[in-house]
Amino acid sequence: MSYQTLKRAVTARLEIKKSEFIAYAYPVTSREQAMFHVEQLREQYADARHHCWAYIIGDPNNTTSAGFDDDGEPNGTAGRPILNVLQHKAIGNVIIIVVRYFGGIKLGAGGLTRAYAGAAQAVVDEMILLPYVPMAQVQILAEFATEAQCRYVVDSLNGSIDDVAYSKQVTLTVTLAEADIDHLKKRLAMDGRVLNASEKVNE
């Protein structure tokens, strides 16, 4: 499952035959997040004729969730071309929203399809893309004497320590790539124990 995702929100503008197309792209991890951005732009550009969008949640090659909306444009001329750009570029966990101000000149179905795909491509060109890495949070139970070694192992796997609790032993809550969890267990060996999700630490 290898795909790219957006580092931060970006925007781009195109003008085609006096119509203005303002494209926004946001990193999202759920449909709810995606729709929140659509509603925000509807409010921000309340006088615009159309707010068309497409999103992909998860892997674009084997998508768990994708959606698009032409928002009043002729069927298939807006949302689908935006989605096609995202799929072609293999970008996941993202929504692109294109706000259109009508300039008085009709573009026709072919012209609209090219315009929306062009607006989506323009905003993709502004993106800083990162490889998507599924992350997981785990807890490590360690003795006081081995805490430093546990921290070292987590750091060497590019993990982050989110929380540390001290009682009879030390409980480190860490986030790291899912793919590295087995590696973490092997590396800790005698120094600490990775708890299963069902295990709770007794204080």
mmCIF file of all heavy atoms in Angstrom, residues 128-162:
data_model
loop_
_atom_site.group_PDB
_atom_site.id
_atom_site.type_symbol
_atom_site.label_atom_id
_atom_site.label_comp_id
_atom_site.label_asym_id
_atom_site.label_seq_id
_atom_site.Cartn_x
_atom_site.Cartn_y
_atom_site.Cartn_z
ATOM 1 N N ILE A 128 3.041 19.744 -1.953
ATOM 2 C CA ILE A 128 4.227 19.039 -1.461
ATOM 3 C C ILE A 128 3.704 17.673 -1.031
ATOM 4 O O ILE A 128 2.856 17.577 -0.141
ATOM 5 C CB ILE A 128 4.868 19.774 -0.274
ATOM 6 C CG1 ILE A 128 5.355 21.155 -0.711
ATOM 7 C CG2 ILE A 128 6.027 18.954 0.297
ATOM 8 C CD1 ILE A 128 5.788 22.051 0.419
ATOM 9 N N LEU A 129 4.166 16.624 -1.716
ATOM 10 C CA LEU A 129 3.645 15.276 -1.459
ATOM 11 C C LEU A 129 4.613 14.465 -0.617
ATOM 12 O O LEU A 129 5.832 14.569 -0.784
ATOM 13 C CB LEU A 129 3.377 14.557 -2.784
ATOM 14 C CG LEU A 129 2.256 15.172 -3.623
ATOM 15 C CD1 LEU A 129 2.221 14.547 -5.001
ATOM 16 C CD2 LEU A 129 0.910 15.011 -2.932
ATOM 17 N N LEU A 130 4.066 13.684 0.286
ATOM 18 C CA LEU A 130 4.857 12.818 1.153
ATOM 19 C C LEU A 130 4.360 11.389 0.988
ATOM 20 O O LEU A 130 3.175 11.170 0.767
ATOM 21 C CB LEU A 130 4.663 13.216 2.626
ATOM 22 C CG LEU A 130 5.005 14.647 3.022
ATOM 23 C CD1 LEU A 130 4.518 14.908 4.437
ATOM 24 C CD2 LEU A 130 6.495 14.875 2.935
ATOM 25 N N PRO A 131 5.260 10.400 1.116
ATOM 26 C CA PRO A 131 4.767 9.018 1.098
ATOM 27 C C PRO A 131 3.887 8.794 2.321
ATOM 28 O O PRO A 131 4.218 9.243 3.416
ATOM 29 C CB PRO A 131 6.033 8.163 1.177
ATOM 30 C CG PRO A 131 7.188 9.092 1.167
ATOM 31 C CD PRO A 131 6.693 10.490 1.322
ATOM 32 N N TYR A 132 2.744 8.141 2.118
ATOM 33 C CA TYR A 132 1.855 7.865 3.240
ATOM 34 C C TYR A 132 2.369 6.652 4.006
ATOM 35 O O TYR A 132 2.628 5.608 3.431
ATOM 36 C CB TYR A 132 0.434 7.586 2.745
ATOM 37 C CG TYR A 132 -0.481 7.149 3.859
ATOM 38 C CD1 TYR A 132 -0.913 8.060 4.823
ATOM 39 C CD2 TYR A 132 -0.881 5.825 3.982
ATOM 40 C CE1 TYR A 132 -1.733 7.663 5.862
ATOM 41 C CE2 TYR A 132 -1.710 5.420 5.026
ATOM 42 C CZ TYR A 132 -2.125 6.352 5.959
ATOM 43 O OH TYR A 132 -2.935 5.953 6.983
ATOM 44 N N VAL A 133 2.520 6.834 5.307
ATOM 45 C CA VAL A 133 2.981 5.740 6.167
ATOM 46 C C VAL A 133 1.935 5.524 7.254
ATOM 47 O O VAL A 133 1.692 6.422 8.067
ATOM 48 C CB VAL A 133 4.345 6.085 6.825
ATOM 49 C CG1 VAL A 133 4.799 4.954 7.736
ATOM 50 C CG2 VAL A 133 5.402 6.381 5.775
ATOM 51 N N PRO A 134 1.279 4.345 7.292
ATOM 52 C CA PRO A 134 0.315 4.091 8.362
ATOM 53 C C PRO A 134 1.036 4.069 9.714
ATOM 54 O O PRO A 134 2.031 3.369 9.866
ATOM 55 C CB PRO A 134 -0.261 2.714 8.030
ATOM 56 C CG PRO A 134 0.181 2.404 6.640
ATOM 57 C CD PRO A 134 1.415 3.208 6.393
ATOM 58 N N MET A 135 0.513 4.840 10.668
ATOM 59 C CA MET A 135 1.147 4.919 11.986
ATOM 60 C C MET A 135 0.293 4.169 13.017
ATOM 61 O O MET A 135 -0.906 3.985 12.831
ATOM 62 C CB MET A 135 1.288 6.382 12.426
ATOM 63 C CG MET A 135 2.071 7.250 11.458
ATOM 64 S SD MET A 135 3.793 6.732 11.230
ATOM 65 C CE MET A 135 4.516 7.422 12.715
ATOM 66 N N ALA A 136 0.940 3.749 14.098
ATOM 67 C CA ALA A 136 0.227 3.066 15.185
ATOM 68 C C ALA A 136 0.780 3.551 16.512
ATOM 69 O O ALA A 136 1.944 3.931 16.621
ATOM 70 C CB ALA A 136 0.399 1.560 15.060
ATOM 71 N N GLN A 137 -0.096 3.535 17.524
ATOM 72 C CA GLN A 137 0.343 3.909 18.871
ATOM 73 C C GLN A 137 0.383 2.647 19.728
ATOM 74 O O GLN A 137 -0.564 1.863 19.728
ATOM 75 C CB GLN A 137 -0.616 4.931 19.483
ATOM 76 C CG GLN A 137 -0.065 5.562 20.758
ATOM 77 C CD GLN A 137 -0.992 6.631 21.319
ATOM 78 O OE1 GLN A 137 -2.093 6.339 21.755
ATOM 79 N NE2 GLN A 137 -0.534 7.870 21.298
ATOM 80 N N VAL A 138 1.505 2.442 20.394
ATOM 81 C CA VAL A 138 1.655 1.272 21.269
ATOM 82 C C VAL A 138 2.216 1.715 22.619
ATOM 83 O O VAL A 138 2.750 2.817 22.762
ATOM 84 C CB VAL A 138 2.598 0.198 20.651
ATOM 85 C CG1 VAL A 138 2.007 -0.373 19.372
ATOM 86 C CG2 VAL A 138 3.993 0.751 20.407
ATOM 87 N N GLN A 139 2.080 0.820 23.606
ATOM 88 C CA GLN A 139 2.652 1.085 24.926
ATOM 89 C C GLN A 139 3.772 0.085 25.204
ATOM 90 O O GLN A 139 3.662 -1.101 24.864
ATOM 91 C CB GLN A 139 1.581 0.973 26.005
ATOM 92 C CG GLN A 139 0.614 2.147 25.982
ATOM 93 C CD GLN A 139 -0.283 2.161 27.202
ATOM 94 O OE1 GLN A 139 -0.775 1.132 27.628
ATOM 95 N NE2 GLN A 139 -0.493 3.345 27.772
ATOM 96 N N ILE A 140 4.831 0.594 25.800
ATOM 97 C CA ILE A 140 5.972 -0.247 26.170
ATOM 98 C C ILE A 140 6.089 -0.234 27.696
ATOM 99 O O ILE A 140 6.084 0.840 28.314
ATOM 100 C CB ILE A 140 7.289 0.290 25.562
ATOM 101 C CG1 ILE A 140 7.196 0.340 24.034
ATOM 102 C CG2 ILE A 140 8.484 -0.560 26.005
ATOM 103 C CD1 ILE A 140 8.303 1.146 23.388
ATOM 104 N N LEU A 141 6.170 -1.410 28.273
ATOM 105 C CA LEU A 141 6.365 -1.538 29.717
ATOM 106 C C LEU A 141 7.841 -1.839 29.964
ATOM 107 O O LEU A 141 8.389 -2.778 29.379
ATOM 108 C CB LEU A 141 5.486 -2.672 30.242
ATOM 109 C CG LEU A 141 5.221 -2.714 31.752
ATOM 110 C CD1 LEU A 141 4.542 -1.434 32.230
ATOM 111 C CD2 LEU A 141 4.364 -3.928 32.089
ATOM 112 N N ALA A 142 8.491 -1.040 30.787
ATOM 113 C CA ALA A 142 9.930 -1.213 31.013
ATOM 114 C C ALA A 142 10.270 -0.985 32.479
ATOM 115 O O ALA A 142 9.490 -0.406 33.239
ATOM 116 C CB ALA A 142 10.705 -0.219 30.143
ATOM 117 N N GLU A 143 11.449 -1.463 32.867
ATOM 118 C CA GLU A 143 11.988 -1.157 34.195
ATOM 119 C C GLU A 143 12.637 0.222 34.145
ATOM 120 O O GLU A 143 13.032 0.688 33.080
ATOM 121 C CB GLU A 143 13.024 -2.216 34.604
ATOM 122 C CG GLU A 143 12.505 -3.645 34.637
ATOM 123 C CD GLU A 143 11.361 -3.828 35.630
ATOM 124 O OE1 GLU A 143 11.325 -3.116 36.645
ATOM 125 O OE2 GLU A 143 10.494 -4.687 35.362
ATOM 126 N N PHE A 144 12.805 0.835 35.306
ATOM 127 C CA PHE A 144 13.446 2.153 35.352
ATOM 128 C C PHE A 144 14.840 2.080 34.734
ATOM 129 O O PHE A 144 15.268 2.983 34.011
ATOM 130 C CB PHE A 144 13.527 2.666 36.800
ATOM 131 C CG PHE A 144 12.190 3.075 37.346
ATOM 132 C CD1 PHE A 144 11.428 2.185 38.090
ATOM 133 C CD2 PHE A 144 11.679 4.341 37.105
ATOM 134 C CE1 PHE A 144 10.178 2.539 38.580
ATOM 135 C CE2 PHE A 144 10.435 4.711 37.599
ATOM 136 C CZ PHE A 144 9.676 3.808 38.342
ATOM 137 N N ALA A 145 15.539 0.986 34.985
ATOM 138 C CA ALA A 145 16.930 0.850 34.525
ATOM 139 C C ALA A 145 17.026 0.759 33.001
ATOM 140 O O ALA A 145 18.067 1.088 32.426
ATOM 141 C CB ALA A 145 17.563 -0.387 35.152
ATOM 142 N N THR A 146 15.937 0.313 32.349
ATOM 143 C CA THR A 146 16.010 0.129 30.886
ATOM 144 C C THR A 146 15.240 1.198 30.107
ATOM 145 O O THR A 146 15.148 1.131 28.875
ATOM 146 C CB THR A 146 15.471 -1.266 30.482
ATOM 147 O OG1 THR A 146 14.120 -1.389 30.939
ATOM 148 C CG2 THR A 146 16.319 -2.374 31.087
ATOM 149 N N GLU A 147 14.709 2.198 30.814
ATOM 150 C CA GLU A 147 13.928 3.240 30.137
ATOM 151 C C GLU A 147 14.736 3.930 29.036
ATOM 152 O O GLU A 147 14.259 4.123 27.916
ATOM 153 C CB GLU A 147 13.431 4.286 31.139
ATOM 154 C CG GLU A 147 12.615 5.389 30.466
ATOM 155 C CD GLU A 147 12.344 6.576 31.391
ATOM 156 O OE1 GLU A 147 12.537 6.474 32.617
ATOM 157 O OE2 GLU A 147 11.915 7.619 30.843
ATOM 158 N N ALA A 148 15.971 4.287 29.361
ATOM 159 C CA ALA A 148 16.813 5.015 28.398
ATOM 160 C C ALA A 148 17.033 4.184 27.131
ATOM 161 O O ALA A 148 16.992 4.703 26.013
ATOM 162 C CB ALA A 148 18.148 5.387 29.027
ATOM 163 N N GLN A 149 17.263 2.869 27.303
ATOM 164 C CA GLN A 149 17.469 1.997 26.148
ATOM 165 C C GLN A 149 16.196 1.915 25.295
ATOM 166 O O GLN A 149 16.259 1.937 24.065
ATOM 167 C CB GLN A 149 17.901 0.595 26.615
ATOM 168 C CG GLN A 149 18.083 -0.422 25.499
ATOM 169 C CD GLN A 149 19.152 -0.037 24.479
ATOM 170 O OE1 GLN A 149 20.012 0.801 24.749
ATOM 171 N NE2 GLN A 149 19.078 -0.638 23.301
ATOM 172 N N CYS A 150 15.036 1.851 25.957
ATOM 173 C CA CYS A 150 13.763 1.828 25.225
ATOM 174 C C CYS A 150 13.583 3.109 24.408
ATOM 175 O O CYS A 150 13.173 3.071 23.241
ATOM 176 C CB CYS A 150 12.586 1.670 26.187
ATOM 177 S SG CYS A 150 12.501 0.026 26.951
ATOM 178 N N ARG A 151 13.899 4.242 25.026
ATOM 179 C CA ARG A 151 13.801 5.523 24.327
ATOM 180 C C ARG A 151 14.721 5.541 23.101
ATOM 181 O O ARG A 151 14.349 6.028 22.032
ATOM 182 C CB ARG A 151 14.176 6.681 25.263
ATOM 183 C CG ARG A 151 13.097 7.020 26.289
ATOM 184 C CD ARG A 151 13.590 8.094 27.249
ATOM 185 N NE ARG A 151 12.576 8.502 28.192
ATOM 186 C CZ ARG A 151 11.717 9.515 28.008
ATOM 187 N NH1 ARG A 151 11.747 10.204 26.879
ATOM 188 N NH2 ARG A 151 10.826 9.817 28.934
ATOM 189 N N TYR A 152 15.915 4.990 23.273
ATOM 190 C CA TYR A 152 16.888 4.954 22.189
ATOM 191 C C TYR A 152 16.355 4.128 21.006
ATOM 192 O O TYR A 152 16.459 4.530 19.854
ATOM 193 C CB TYR A 152 18.228 4.374 22.691
ATOM 194 C CG TYR A 152 19.203 4.088 21.575
ATOM 195 C CD1 TYR A 152 19.904 5.119 20.960
ATOM 196 C CD2 TYR A 152 19.388 2.785 21.114
ATOM 197 C CE1 TYR A 152 20.773 4.856 19.909
ATOM 198 C CE2 TYR A 152 20.247 2.508 20.064
ATOM 199 C CZ TYR A 152 20.936 3.551 19.464
ATOM 200 O OH TYR A 152 21.785 3.294 18.420
ATOM 201 N N VAL A 153 15.753 2.967 21.317
ATOM 202 C CA VAL A 153 15.227 2.088 20.259
ATOM 203 C C VAL A 153 14.087 2.782 19.503
ATOM 204 O O VAL A 153 14.033 2.762 18.265
ATOM 205 C CB VAL A 153 14.760 0.732 20.843
ATOM 206 C CG1 VAL A 153 14.006 -0.085 19.798
ATOM 207 C CG2 VAL A 153 15.948 -0.052 21.387
ATOM 208 N N VAL A 154 13.171 3.418 20.244
ATOM 209 C CA VAL A 154 12.052 4.130 19.613
ATOM 210 C C VAL A 154 12.582 5.225 18.691
ATOM 211 O O VAL A 154 12.149 5.376 17.541
ATOM 212 C CB VAL A 154 11.092 4.723 20.673
ATOM 213 C CG1 VAL A 154 10.067 5.661 20.032
ATOM 214 C CG2 VAL A 154 10.383 3.604 21.433
ATOM 215 N N ASP A 155 13.559 5.972 19.187
ATOM 216 C CA ASP A 155 14.152 7.065 18.413
ATOM 217 C C ASP A 155 14.821 6.530 17.142
ATOM 218 O O ASP A 155 14.705 7.113 16.064
ATOM 219 C CB ASP A 155 15.169 7.816 19.291
ATOM 220 C CG ASP A 155 15.612 9.114 18.631
ATOM 221 O OD1 ASP A 155 14.725 9.905 18.243
ATOM 222 O OD2 ASP A 155 16.831 9.325 18.485
ATOM 223 N N SER A 156 15.505 5.400 17.257
ATOM 224 C CA SER A 156 16.223 4.835 16.108
ATOM 225 C C SER A 156 15.256 4.364 15.018
ATOM 226 O O SER A 156 15.630 4.251 13.851
ATOM 227 C CB SER A 156 17.120 3.678 16.548
ATOM 228 O OG SER A 156 16.335 2.552 16.907
ATOM 229 N N LEU A 157 13.992 4.095 15.404
ATOM 230 C CA LEU A 157 12.979 3.693 14.428
ATOM 231 C C LEU A 157 12.131 4.888 13.968
ATOM 232 O O LEU A 157 11.070 4.725 13.365
ATOM 233 C CB LEU A 157 12.060 2.618 15.036
ATOM 234 C CG LEU A 157 12.720 1.265 15.322
ATOM 235 C CD1 LEU A 157 11.792 0.358 16.109
ATOM 236 C CD2 LEU A 157 13.132 0.582 14.017
ATOM 237 N N ASN A 158 12.620 6.100 14.259
ATOM 238 C CA ASN A 158 11.914 7.348 13.906
ATOM 239 C C ASN A 158 10.531 7.444 14.551
ATOM 240 O O ASN A 158 9.617 8.058 13.998
ATOM 241 C CB ASN A 158 11.788 7.502 12.379
ATOM 242 C CG ASN A 158 13.137 7.644 11.725
ATOM 243 O OD1 ASN A 158 13.988 8.377 12.211
ATOM 244 N ND2 ASN A 158 13.357 6.910 10.642
ATOM 245 N N GLY A 159 10.379 6.804 15.716
ATOM 246 C CA GLY A 159 9.124 6.897 16.456
ATOM 247 C C GLY A 159 9.129 8.129 17.349
ATOM 248 O O GLY A 159 10.165 8.779 17.532
ATOM 249 N N SER A 160 7.971 8.452 17.900
ATOM 250 C CA SER A 160 7.895 9.582 18.836
ATOM 251 C C SER A 160 7.283 9.090 20.145
ATOM 252 O O SER A 160 6.422 8.213 20.149
ATOM 253 C CB SER A 160 7.044 10.710 18.249
ATOM 254 O OG SER A 160 5.720 10.259 18.054
ATOM 255 N N ILE A 161 7.745 9.660 21.235
ATOM 256 C CA ILE A 161 7.225 9.294 22.560
ATOM 257 C C ILE A 161 6.153 10.311 22.933
ATOM 258 O O ILE A 161 6.422 11.504 23.038
ATOM 259 C CB ILE A 161 8.369 9.235 23.597
ATOM 260 C CG1 ILE A 161 9.313 8.080 23.219
ATOM 261 C CG2 ILE A 161 7.813 9.047 25.004
ATOM 262 C CD1 ILE A 161 10.591 8.024 24.001
ATOM 263 N N ASP A 162 4.919 9.818 23.078
ATOM 264 C CA ASP A 162 3.786 10.712 23.328
ATOM 265 C C ASP A 162 3.545 10.948 24.809
ATOM 266 O O ASP A 162 3.068 12.001 25.201
ATOM 267 C CB ASP A 162 2.502 10.104 22.715
ATOM 268 C CG ASP A 162 2.688 9.757 21.237
ATOM 269 O OD1 ASP A 162 3.395 10.504 20.550
ATOM 270 O OD2 ASP A 162 2.130 8.737 20.795
#
